[in-house]
Amino acid sequence: LAKTTQPISMDSYEGQEVNITCSHNNIATNDYITWYQQFPSQGPRFIIQGYKTKVTNEVASLFIPADRKSSTLSLPRVSLSDTAVYYCHAGGTSYGKLTFGQGTILTVHP
Amino acid sequence: GAGVSQSPSNKVTEKGKDVELRCDPISGHTALYWYRQSLGQGLEFLIYFQGNSAPDKSGLPSDRFSAERTGGSVSTLTIQRTQQEDSAVYLCASSSQTLTGDGYTFGSGTRLTVV
């Protein structure tokens, strides 16, 4: 499992695009990159997963450069309800110990 | 069920008492995980199960903590002789055999308060 590093916090305003970058320098060949969102008093919730290049779903986009040593979660046109903690995880395709970093506290202002 | 279910949602207990926390994973998910999250902190891994066996117990903080899983489904996390530092939200997650697709699904957690 690759150790991940993210900014501790970020601030944004409603309607803006937010990009959160995660560093995972020792990512292994079979590791996937997954992002989770956590609201207060709730467990983390899966947002998006990718292996390389770009992945997009109805919630976010995930950009992964060719060397895969980092990834960027992009949230288009954020709203107040996107205020949460965002965790990046880089791990293999077989289950095992899931280690999260400290996450990024995103605060969206009116 | 449709998601990971944990019970109770809240538990207040006196120092020194034993507590049991329950996790009911998504049907068919072979892997089950327990985590702990203290106020304002990140997720601390405790233990994971593959079927009914626990290949990795490295995160259990002391021998007061134990967990079991029966029938490849429900799991219980037991904390004996609770201490105030055990106060936290205990989260359970489950996943299918591979992590591709939708990763881990977490429950809403059990908030444990030791007074």
Side-chain angles (χ1 to χ4, degrees), chain B residues 4-5 8 10-11 16 32 34 39-40 42 44 49-50 52 58-61 67 70 77 80 88 96 105 115:
Chain B
V4 177
S5 178
N10 283 284
K11 177 71 176 179
L32 184 148
W34 284 98
L39 186 62
E44 176 187 3
F49 287 90
Q50 177 180 335
N52 291 335
S58 62
L60 294 178
T70 56
L77 176 68
Q80 296 178 310
S96 57
T105 302
V115 297

Side-chain angles (χ1 to χ4, degrees), chain A residues 1 32 34 36 38 40-46 49 87 89 91-102, chain B residues 30-31 33 35 37 41-43 45 48 50 56 58 91 96-104 106-108 111:
Chain A
L1 293 168
Y32 278 71
T34 311
Y36 296 83
Q38 186 178 27
S41 302
Q42 294 185 25
R45 180 178 72 97
F46 172 90
Q49 184 180 76
Y87 292 97
H89 173 256
T93 55
S94 59
Y95 38 46
K97 179 177 178 177
L98 169 62
T99 303
F100 286 95
Q102 286 300 303
Chain B
T30 52
Y33 311 79
Y35 293 87
Q37 189 170 38
Q41 300 299 308
L43 293 159
F45 170 82
Y48 103 89
Q50 177 180 335
D56 191 343
S58 62
L91 290 160
S96 57
Q97 184 169 354
T98 65
L99 296 178
T100 57
D102 57 2
Y104 300 80
F106 284 83
S108 294
R111 182 175 299 277

